[in-house]
């Protein structure tokens, strides 16, 4: 891992797909990795772009989103320090499915496409972990579709905050506009509900943060069925 900083090595070693291969293969992967830095507002890729590699987030934050014909943005998720993503287009050899925009200056590790295919897709154990990760993303997508179809907005918001709570802890780095884009509704609709919860001390609204103070109160809103287990990266 010559030339890589300690945080780069830690990110590689934390990835379960990379951890399955031999020491020699890990060394070959590490030698192929390169670092890319991007500034807030830049696009890592657009929907329809060819895949160039597998991304690991060293620092910063990126938004995965789609844009409707009328220009309305829908945020699917955020990628932040410690996350790896971009495997879907590398596995099925299809173009990128969504836009990926930098929301905070970021540094990425990139495993080039050819090396990903050579070292990870041809390794049975690594491929198993990659497949499981893709299945987790599919479960998340299906859960979101279900929520939009049958659950009232307060329940959908509560579920999303609880999911983020499990992933990130009680201090969730998210502003109201970003949450609105994740829900596919207006910011005003989100603000009204969050304000009522803040007045009840369920949450605390801060600049670019939401702090969960009473998770059990949010869970009482989730009456359609039990809150699904959070999907971890």
């Amino acid at each position: 891992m010559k030339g890589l900083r300690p945080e780069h090595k830690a990110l590689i070693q934390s990835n379960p797909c990379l951890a399955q291969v031999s020491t020699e293969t890990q060394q070959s992967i590490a030698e192929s990795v390169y670092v890319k830095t991007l500034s807030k507002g830049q696009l890592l890729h657009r929907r329809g772009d060819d895949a160039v590699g597998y991304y690991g987030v060293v620092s910063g934050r990126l938004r995965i989103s789609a844009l409707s014909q009328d220009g309305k943005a829908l945020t699917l998720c955020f990628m932040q320090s410690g996350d790896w993503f971009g495997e879907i287009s590398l596995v099925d050899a299809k173009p990128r499915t969504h836009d990926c925009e930098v929301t905070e200056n970021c540094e990425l590790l990139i495993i080039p496409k050819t090396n990903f295919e050579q070292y990870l897709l041809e390794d049975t154990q690594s491929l198993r972990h990659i497949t499981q990760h893709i299945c987790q993303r599919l479960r998340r997508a299906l859960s979101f579709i279900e929520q939009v179809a049958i659950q009232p907005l307060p329940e959908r918001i509560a579920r999303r905050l609880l999911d983020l709570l499990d992933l990130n802890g009680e201090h969730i780095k998210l502003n109201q506009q970003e949450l609105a884009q994740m829900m596919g509704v207006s910011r005003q609709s989100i603000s009204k509900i969050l304000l009522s919860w803040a007045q009840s001390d369920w949450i605390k609204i801060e600049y670019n943060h939401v702090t969960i103070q009473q998770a059990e109160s949010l869970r009482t809103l989730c009456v359609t069925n039990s809150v699904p287990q959070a999907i971890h990266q």
Side-chain angles (χ1 to χ4, degrees):
M1 299 187 184
K2 185 178 180 180
L4 296 179
R5 302 198 304 270
E7 60 266 33
H8 297 159
K9 298 176 183 179
L11 182 60
I12 292 173
Q13 293 167 352
S14 70
N15 186 309
C17 301
L18 304 179
Q20 299 304 313
V21 299
S22 67
T23 302
E24 293 76 13
T25 299
Q26 287 183 28
Q27 181 65 34
S28 297
I29 292 173
E31 290 175 353
S32 75
V33 166
Y34 63 96
V35 179
K36 186 180 183 70
T37 57
L38 294 166
S39 300
K40 180 179 179 179
Q42 284 188 274
L43 283 169
L44 176 61
H45 60 70
R46 293 185 182 276
R47 180 175 185 171
D49 285 351
D50 291 332
V52 299
Y54 184 43
Y55 305 116
V57 186
V58 181
S59 61
R61 191 163 174 257
L62 304 98
R63 175 172 56 225
I64 309 297
S65 64
L67 197 64
S68 66
Q69 291 184 345
D70 61 2
K72 184 178 180 181
L74 175 64
T75 298
L76 302 178
C77 62
F78 289 93
M79 297 298 171
Q80 53 196 6
S81 179
D83 291 336
W84 286 86
F85 68 101
E87 69 278 5
I88 294 177
S89 291
L90 296 172
V91 172
D92 67 9
K94 302 288 186 180
R96 293 298 187 191
T97 56
H98 297 90
D99 296 337
C100 182
E101 179 187 4
V102 178
T103 60
E104 292 179 4
N105 294 347
C106 72
E107 182 179 64
L108 302 174
L109 289 185
I110 302 178
I111 299 176
K113 176 182 177 181
T114 53
N115 299 90
F116 181 91
E117 293 172 341
Q118 177 182 357
Y119 296 120
L120 298 181
L121 291 189
E122 293 184 4
D123 182 89
T124 303
Q125 291 300 317
S126 290
L127 182 57
R128 178 181 177 85
H129 280 275
I130 292 167
T131 303
Q132 289 174 337
H133 197 195
I134 292 175
C135 289
Q136 288 176 338
R137 293 189 188 278
L138 176 59
R139 286 178 180 273
R140 179 182 292 175
L142 293 174
S143 176
F144 178 77
I145 293 171
E146 177 187 6
Q147 290 172 25
V148 171
I150 66 174
Q151 295 172 3
L153 184 57
E155 182 173 350
R156 289 168 53 200
I157 297 172
R159 286 177 179 274
R160 180 54 62 95
L161 290 179
L162 289 169
D163 185 51
L164 293 172
L165 171 68
D166 287 335
L167 290 171
N168 303 305
E170 63 182 13
H171 301 292
I172 301 169
K173 195 170 189 178
L174 191 74
N175 61 44
Q176 294 185 41
Q177 182 60 37
E178 290 171 340
L179 183 57
Q181 290 177 342
M182 295 179 85
M183 297 288 99
V185 299
S186 69
R187 184 182 183 279
Q188 290 75 15
S189 299
I190 294 290
S191 296
K192 182 179 179 180
I193 293 170
L194 293 186
L195 180 59
S196 68
W197 293 351
Q199 291 172 341
S200 299
D201 293 325
W202 291 9
I203 64 172
K204 182 179 180 181
I205 302 172
E206 303 169 282
Y207 179 72
N208 283 340
H209 282 80
V210 174
T211 299
I212 307 299
Q213 296 177 305
Q214 296 185 36
E216 286 304 317
S217 296
L218 293 177
R219 289 191 178 93
T220 63
L221 300 177
C222 302
V223 296
T224 303
N225 49 47
S226 60
V227 179
Q229 183 177 358
I231 298 171
H232 298 278
Q233 298 292 333

